[in-house]
Amino acid sequence: MPYVNIKITDENVSSEDKKALIEGATRLLQDVLGKNPATTVVVIDEVNTDNWGIAGEQVTHRRKRGQ
């Protein structure tokens, strides 16, 4: 039973986007590894940009600077 955990920042990700991520990850595991889609679990965690850091800096501050 494959388990995929996708972590993204919580910045305007639509339900349709999430649906596409779930379908795409499931299809990728089926195509590449022959995994059964019926037993593939995909979880999307949305993380607040205050709780996500890159290069020692919160993503919130990076976004404010345009990075």
Side-chain angles (χ1 to χ4, degrees):
M1 175 175 86
Y3 173 87
V4 178
N5 185 215
I6 300 171
K7 293 184 183 286
I8 57 175
T9 57
D10 61 352
E11 299 173 286
N12 302 317
V13 181
S14 70
S15 181
E16 293 79 19
D17 293 337
K18 293 174 192 175
K19 180 179 182 293
L21 286 170
I22 292 167
E23 290 172 351
T26 301
R27 189 171 38 256
L28 180 64
L29 283 166
Q30 181 181 23
D31 293 348
V32 174
L33 299 178
K35 297 299 181 179
N36 183 351
T39 60
T40 298
V41 175
V42 179
V43 176
I44 298 172
D45 290 327
E46 291 183 273
V47 180
N48 185 280
T49 57
D50 282 347
N51 299 328
W52 193 297
I54 301 171
E57 182 179 23
Q58 290 174 309
V59 169
T60 304
H61 295 284
R62 294 174 66 88
R63 296 287 190 263
K64 287 179 184 175
R65 287 197 336 268
Q67 289 189 327

